[in-house]
Amino acid sequence: MSPRAAVLLAVAVLAAGCTADDPGGTSAASSPVPSAPAASSTASAPPPTAPAAPVQPLAGHVVVLDPGHQLGNARFPSQVNRRVDAGGFDKACNTTGTSTDDGYPEATFTWQVAVEVRRRLRALGARVVLTRDDNSADDWGPCIDERGRVGNPGEPGPTADVRISLHADGNRSSTAHGFHVIRPGERAGWTDDVVAPSERLAVALRDALVGAGFTPSTYLGEDGIDVRTDLGTLNHSDVPVVMVELGNMRDDRDASVMESDAGRRRYARAVVTAVRGFLGV
């Protein structure tokens, strides 16, 4: 072999050794370095937030609503006319109530308003007790003494923070229009413990009704508030209490509001406003 051929052979051997561990034909130095995994294009979403609990400012409070009369009272004269203790004197257990000129009964009106007030108060967290369970032509009562004791300390059921008796008047005077709130007057041994807070409740309800656009009575009370000592529902109460004649059913203007869904919702909103104002919530 000539010297030139030997040199060429040695070069060829060296070239083959450079690729022995690189069957793909690229050297380790020239192979690409694996890159770090790319970060996710979107960050992990935070866990869903639980919906906020509804605001219930009246949680823990108890309200008694007394929808006046009962639709069937007129069918049970012996029961309704029975004499009961009205606060140290006797009165009839109950009465039939009044109606509008076209026959819409007071018992139905007060029931419908009470149910709407109950719905709104419950939504605010209050516990609501009604003094009757339905509005039925096949039922009567309860009597005024029993109604007045519902929610009292020591009576069955929860003790109330406030009691509101819902009524409507039937005055036939052509000028009798508007609402009036009745609060208990001083009656020794009966109302002494509730007169002062009941006066505050009466003012709160009067102001709420005025704020809702209702007119104070043109024929009873003073500036929408009357004081009485002859009502068993008030005399038997040992918690702050008022009775409200929401309007005069014999007045066409009042009657048109009472007979409408929108009107009853206005009354209900005012009652709820009064309860919240009185309780400071």
Side-chain angles (χ1 to χ4, degrees):
M1 178 182 298
S2 66
R4 179 180 176 82
V7 171
L8 292 174
L9 179 61
V11 171
V13 171
L14 289 172
C18 289
T19 60
D21 295 330
D22 189 11
T26 58
S27 68
S30 64
S31 64
V33 178
S35 60
S40 172
S41 59
T42 59
S44 297
T49 303
V55 177
Q56 294 195 310
L58 292 177
H61 290 287
V62 178
V63 179
V64 170
L65 299 174
D66 175 35
H69 311 287
Q70 171 60 282
L71 192 58
N73 278 358
R75 299 180 58 192
F76 299 88
S78 62
Q79 291 92 332
V80 168
N81 291 326
R82 178 171 59 88
R83 309 297 286 183
V84 299
D85 181 10
F89 58 96
D90 290 348
K91 287 186 76 171
C93 157
N94 211 311
T95 64
T96 60
T98 187
S99 69
T100 62
D101 287 340
D102 59 7
Y104 176 56
E106 178 186 358
T108 298
F109 167 68
T110 61
W111 174 258
Q112 290 174 328
V113 172
V115 168
E116 178 64 11
V117 174
R118 178 178 63 181
R119 183 187 70 80
R120 292 171 180 266
L121 289 175
R122 282 178 171 175
L124 295 171
R127 183 172 179 180
V128 182
V129 179
L130 267 59
T131 58
R132 56 181 168 111
D133 299 326
D134 55 20
N135 186 54
S136 171
D138 296 322
D139 204 357
W140 63 275
C143 294
I144 55 175
D145 55 337
E146 180 181 345
R147 289 171 181 261
R149 291 192 298 265
V150 175
N152 280 353
E155 293 291 328
T159 297
D161 297 291
V162 60
R163 181 203 329 274
I164 297 178
S165 187
L166 303 168
H167 285 260
D169 208 358
N171 193 302
R172 292 183 178 275
S173 168
S174 61
T175 59
H177 166 60
F179 75 86
H180 62 280
V181 182
I182 306 168
R183 67 174 179 86
E186 188 81 33
R187 188 168 183 81
W190 291 92
T191 62
D192 321 61
D193 53 342
V194 299
V195 165
S198 296
E199 183 175 5
R200 291 193 293 106
L201 177 59
V203 171
L205 183 51
R206 185 271 314 276
D207 291 350
L209 286 165
V210 170
F214 296 105
T215 303
S217 171
T218 59
Y219 62 103
L220 276 175
E222 183 177 347
D223 198 18
I225 296 178
D226 195 13
V227 182
R228 291 177 63 174
T229 59
D230 63 324
L231 298 176
T233 303
L234 303 185
N235 291 340
H236 277 281
S237 182
D238 290 326
V239 300
V241 60
V242 294
M243 178 183 292
V244 57
E245 302 282 0
L246 289 168
N248 181 18
M249 299 194 90
R250 296 296 181 173
D251 176 76
D252 289 343
R253 292 161 295 178
D254 289 354
S256 65
V257 176
M258 293 176 179
E259 290 182 340
S260 71
D261 288 339
R264 292 190 294 271
R265 287 194 297 269
R266 281 176 60 205
Y267 283 119
R269 284 195 298 270
V271 173
V272 172
T273 298
V275 170
R276 295 191 64 176
F278 174 74
L279 296 176
V281 291

